[in-house]
Amino acid sequence: MKKVRSNKLIFIMIALFISVFFYGCGKDADKNTEVSTDSSSSVSEDGSGNGSGQSTENAVKEPLYDRAFLRNLDLQYAKEFSAAFYEGGLILINVGEDSFLLVDEGAEVPEAAKKDEKSGKITILQKPLSNIYNASSSVMDHFLAIDALDRVTMTSTKAEDWSIEEVRKLVEDDTISYVGKYSMPDYEYILDDGCSLAIENQMIYHSPDTKEKLEALEIPVLVERSSLEDEPLGRLEWIKLYGILTGEEEAAQAVFDEQHKKIEEIQSEIGKESGKKLDAALFYIGTNGIVGVRNPDDYMTTLLKMAGAEYSFDHLSGDSSKTYIQLQMEEFYAHAIDADVLIYNSNFGYSPTNIDELIAIDGILVELKAVKNKNVWCYSQDSFQQPTKMADMVNDYYEIFKYVRDGGEEPELMYFERLK
């Protein structure tokens, strides 16, 4: 970690003692109230903020703090955030129940907005946003894709836990500083670094005191909700939010359009095909012999289906809070025996390097169709950290399924390696 430039520990202790006390008494009471709707502002629940996930086409286009409405951010898939643009360099951003007012550099912050911030109804963000503390590893890829990684100076993910090489190197050389686990960050360092925004993921709700402490130190906290999106492209579309925050809206749109086009082209090819779809399964085997199969409603499973396959464990009740569903080997065998393709996640449990090592885990696996035909692929890269590469992941799946179905030359893949 870079050397802290000054010691502010006493200030932090006093600030936390005083601010957290009043924070708990006041802000939560106003959490679900609307931004004030007096003569200087007007935002309704289904207005241009659209935090409830409603279509922006039906959004109310009312003035905000006496500033005329200009446009809504065009969102095709994302439902967990929205943004509306107003005259005077104001952008209203809604993320779930939280509202943020992004103000252009040098633009005047309306007095009514300041009052709303004091009452806890809105958080004001003043551009340029720099020295960002990003505690959500999946968000870093968005910043990288729009060439805005220089705005991020802090992370809660250690260098060795990054699968994105560019980010790993930046954390290793302390250009991006590791400031501790997301639930126990170095508050003094974050404050001293001049943090203008902290980005957290949903895990922060397991450690609410951390969020409250950051806010008590007047560090704005944005809890991203991309993992709650039903559509993978909705998760990708969050790149538009980071484009707005960094002033790289055009670059964000370009990345989204590129990935969207690639997926459309793949699905167009799938639409031309005839015959029964292949069956495929995503799984790993733990050290205790229990099999984990990917949730049928999970992000990776959805990408597999987008590539044209049926999922062998679609019958399992989808619990969106679980990435994997644990099964005894016998139950796994019963539903995977006729699967055409098996995809093994080497991030967990055993990590076989060939078919024989996979069979050695449990002899019953030799009876599986995909094992007999050596149609088992492994992946080890953390796809969760690379949401802007989803089209490449879908294409890898598609190439695997096409090879298994039609034969020919084995494809060269970005994310998968065949067990032989």
Side-chain angles (χ1 to χ4, degrees), residues 44-56 78-82 94-99 225 229:
S44 61
E45 286 184 354
D46 60 349
S48 50
N50 192 30
S52 61
Q54 300 178 23
S55 170
T56 55
K79 297 180 179 180
E80 296 295 334
F81 86 96
S82 64
N94 279 347
V95 180
E97 295 181 350
D98 298 328
S99 295
R225 298 163 62 88
E229 299 288 354

CSV table of all heavy atoms in Angstrom, one decimal, residues 44-56 78-82 94-99 225 229:
chain,number,residue,atom,x,y,z
A,44,SER,N,-40.7,11.8,-9.2
A,44,SER,CA,-41.7,10.9,-8.7
A,44,SER,C,-41.1,9.5,-8.8
A,44,SER,O,-40.1,9.2,-9.4
A,44,SER,CB,-43.0,10.9,-9.5
A,44,SER,OG,-42.7,10.6,-10.9
A,45,GLU,N,-41.8,8.5,-8.1
A,45,GLU,CA,-41.3,7.2,-8.0
A,45,GLU,C,-41.1,6.6,-9.4
A,45,GLU,O,-40.2,5.8,-9.7
A,45,GLU,CB,-42.2,6.3,-7.2
A,45,GLU,CG,-42.2,6.6,-5.7
A,45,GLU,CD,-43.1,5.6,-5.0
A,45,GLU,OE1,-43.8,4.9,-5.6
A,45,GLU,OE2,-43.0,5.6,-3.7
A,46,ASP,N,-42.0,6.9,-10.3
A,46,ASP,CA,-41.9,6.3,-11.7
A,46,ASP,C,-41.4,7.4,-12.7
A,46,ASP,O,-41.6,7.2,-13.9
A,46,ASP,CB,-43.3,5.7,-12.2
A,46,ASP,CG,-44.3,6.8,-12.2
A,46,ASP,OD1,-44.1,7.9,-11.7
A,46,ASP,OD2,-45.4,6.5,-12.8
A,47,GLY,N,-40.7,8.4,-12.2
A,47,GLY,CA,-40.2,9.4,-13.0
A,47,GLY,C,-39.0,9.1,-13.7
A,47,GLY,O,-38.6,7.9,-13.8
A,48,SER,N,-38.3,10.1,-14.2
A,48,SER,CA,-37.1,9.9,-15.0
A,48,SER,C,-36.0,9.1,-14.3
A,48,SER,O,-35.1,8.6,-14.9
A,48,SER,CB,-36.6,11.2,-15.6
A,48,SER,OG,-36.4,12.1,-14.5
A,49,GLY,N,-36.1,9.1,-13.0
A,49,GLY,CA,-35.1,8.3,-12.2
A,49,GLY,C,-35.3,6.8,-12.5
A,49,GLY,O,-34.3,6.1,-12.7
A,50,ASN,N,-36.6,6.4,-12.5
A,50,ASN,CA,-36.9,5.0,-12.9
A,50,ASN,C,-36.1,3.9,-12.2
A,50,ASN,O,-35.7,2.9,-12.7
A,50,ASN,CB,-36.6,4.9,-14.4
A,50,ASN,CG,-37.1,3.6,-15.0
A,50,ASN,OD1,-38.2,3.1,-14.5
A,50,ASN,ND2,-36.5,3.0,-16.0
A,51,GLY,N,-35.9,4.2,-10.9
A,51,GLY,CA,-35.1,3.2,-10.1
A,51,GLY,C,-35.8,1.9,-9.9
A,51,GLY,O,-35.2,0.9,-9.5
A,52,SER,N,-37.2,1.8,-10.1
A,52,SER,CA,-37.9,0.6,-10.0
A,52,SER,C,-37.7,-0.4,-11.1
A,52,SER,O,-38.3,-1.5,-11.1
A,52,SER,CB,-39.4,0.9,-9.8
A,52,SER,OG,-39.9,1.5,-10.9
A,53,GLY,N,-37.0,0.0,-12.2
A,53,GLY,CA,-36.8,-0.9,-13.3
A,53,GLY,C,-37.8,-0.8,-14.4
A,53,GLY,O,-37.9,-1.6,-15.3
A,54,GLN,N,-38.6,0.3,-14.4
A,54,GLN,CA,-39.6,0.4,-15.4
A,54,GLN,C,-39.0,1.0,-16.7
A,54,GLN,O,-37.9,1.6,-16.7
A,54,GLN,CB,-40.7,1.4,-14.9
A,54,GLN,CG,-41.4,0.9,-13.7
A,54,GLN,CD,-42.5,1.9,-13.2
A,54,GLN,OE1,-42.9,2.7,-14.0
A,54,GLN,NE2,-42.8,1.9,-11.9
A,55,SER,N,-39.7,0.8,-17.8
A,55,SER,CA,-39.1,1.3,-19.1
A,55,SER,C,-39.0,2.8,-19.1
A,55,SER,O,-39.9,3.5,-18.7
A,55,SER,CB,-40.1,0.8,-20.2
A,55,SER,OG,-39.7,1.5,-21.4
A,56,THR,N,-37.8,3.2,-19.6
A,56,THR,CA,-37.6,4.7,-19.6
A,56,THR,C,-38.5,5.4,-20.6
A,56,THR,O,-38.6,6.6,-20.6
A,56,THR,CB,-36.1,5.0,-20.0
A,56,THR,OG1,-35.8,4.3,-21.2
A,56,THR,CG2,-35.2,4.5,-18.9
A,78,ALA,N,-31.0,-3.4,-19.0
A,78,ALA,CA,-30.8,-3.1,-17.6
A,78,ALA,C,-32.1,-2.6,-16.9
A,78,ALA,O,-32.7,-1.7,-17.4
A,78,ALA,CB,-29.7,-2.2,-17.3
A,79,LYS,N,-32.4,-3.1,-15.7
A,79,LYS,CA,-33.6,-2.6,-15.0
A,79,LYS,C,-33.3,-2.1,-13.6
A,79,LYS,O,-34.2,-1.6,-12.9
A,79,LYS,CB,-34.6,-3.8,-14.9
A,79,LYS,CG,-35.2,-4.2,-16.2
A,79,LYS,CD,-36.2,-5.4,-16.1
A,79,LYS,CE,-36.7,-5.8,-17.4
A,79,LYS,NZ,-37.7,-6.9,-17.2
A,80,GLU,N,-32.0,-2.3,-13.2
A,80,GLU,CA,-31.7,-2.0,-11.8
A,80,GLU,C,-31.0,-0.6,-11.6
A,80,GLU,O,-30.7,-0.2,-10.5
A,80,GLU,CB,-30.7,-3.0,-11.3
A,80,GLU,CG,-31.3,-4.4,-11.2
A,80,GLU,CD,-32.5,-4.5,-10.1
A,80,GLU,OE1,-32.5,-3.7,-9.2
A,80,GLU,OE2,-33.3,-5.4,-10.3
A,81,PHE,N,-30.9,0.2,-12.7
A,81,PHE,CA,-30.5,1.6,-12.6
A,81,PHE,C,-31.0,2.4,-13.7
A,81,PHE,O,-31.5,1.8,-14.7
A,81,PHE,CB,-28.9,1.7,-12.6
A,81,PHE,CG,-28.3,1.7,-14.0
A,81,PHE,CD1,-28.0,3.0,-14.5
A,81,PHE,CD2,-28.0,0.6,-14.7
A,81,PHE,CE1,-27.4,3.0,-15.8
A,81,PHE,CE2,-27.5,0.6,-15.9
A,81,PHE,CZ,-27.2,1.9,-16.5
A,82,SER,N,-31.0,3.7,-13.6
A,82,SER,CA,-31.4,4.6,-14.7
A,82,SER,C,-30.7,5.9,-14.5
A,82,SER,O,-30.1,6.2,-13.5
A,82,SER,CB,-33.0,4.8,-14.6
A,82,SER,OG,-33.3,5.4,-13.4
A,94,ASN,N,-30.5,6.8,-10.5
A,94,ASN,CA,-31.2,6.0,-9.5
A,94,ASN,C,-30.6,4.6,-9.6
A,94,ASN,O,-30.6,4.0,-10.7
A,94,ASN,CB,-32.7,6.0,-9.7
A,94,ASN,CG,-33.4,7.2,-9.1
A,94,ASN,OD1,-32.8,7.9,-8.4
A,94,ASN,ND2,-34.6,7.4,-9.5
A,95,VAL,N,-30.2,4.1,-8.4
A,95,VAL,CA,-29.7,2.7,-8.3
A,95,VAL,C,-30.5,2.0,-7.2
A,95,VAL,O,-30.2,2.3,-6.0
A,95,VAL,CB,-28.2,2.7,-8.0
A,95,VAL,CG1,-27.7,1.3,-7.9
A,95,VAL,CG2,-27.4,3.4,-9.1
A,96,GLY,N,-31.4,1.2,-7.6
A,96,GLY,CA,-32.3,0.6,-6.6
A,96,GLY,C,-33.1,1.8,-6.0
A,96,GLY,O,-33.7,2.6,-6.6
A,97,GLU,N,-33.0,1.9,-4.6
A,97,GLU,CA,-33.7,2.9,-3.9
A,97,GLU,C,-32.9,4.2,-3.7
A,97,GLU,O,-33.3,5.2,-3.1
A,97,GLU,CB,-34.2,2.4,-2.6
A,97,GLU,CG,-35.3,1.3,-2.7
A,97,GLU,CD,-35.7,0.8,-1.3
A,97,GLU,OE1,-35.1,1.2,-0.3
A,97,GLU,OE2,-36.7,0.1,-1.2
A,98,ASP,N,-31.6,4.1,-4.1
A,98,ASP,CA,-30.7,5.2,-3.9
A,98,ASP,C,-30.6,6.2,-5.1
A,98,ASP,O,-30.6,5.7,-6.2
A,98,ASP,CB,-29.3,4.7,-3.6
A,98,ASP,CG,-29.2,3.8,-2.4
A,98,ASP,OD1,-30.0,4.1,-1.4
A,98,ASP,OD2,-28.4,2.9,-2.3
A,99,SER,N,-30.7,7.5,-4.8
A,99,SER,CA,-30.6,8.5,-5.8
A,99,SER,C,-29.3,9.3,-5.7
A,99,SER,O,-28.9,9.7,-4.6
A,99,SER,CB,-31.8,9.4,-5.7
A,99,SER,OG,-33.0,8.8,-5.9
A,225,ARG,N,-25.8,-3.0,-8.6
A,225,ARG,CA,-26.8,-4.1,-8.6
A,225,ARG,C,-26.8,-4.9,-9.9
A,225,ARG,O,-27.8,-5.5,-10.2
A,225,ARG,CB,-28.1,-3.5,-8.3
A,225,ARG,CG,-28.3,-2.8,-7.0
A,225,ARG,CD,-29.5,-1.9,-7.0
A,225,ARG,NE,-30.8,-2.5,-7.1
A,225,ARG,CZ,-31.5,-3.1,-6.2
A,225,ARG,NH1,-31.0,-3.0,-4.9
A,225,ARG,NH2,-32.6,-3.7,-6.4
A,229,GLU,N,-29.5,-8.3,-12.3
A,229,GLU,CA,-30.2,-8.2,-13.7
A,229,GLU,C,-30.5,-9.6,-14.2
A,229,GLU,O,-29.7,-10.6,-14.0
A,229,GLU,CB,-29.2,-7.6,-14.7
A,229,GLU,CG,-28.9,-6.1,-14.3
A,229,GLU,CD,-30.0,-5.2,-14.5
A,229,GLU,OE1,-31.1,-5.6,-15.0
A,229,GLU,OE2,-29.9,-4.0,-14.2
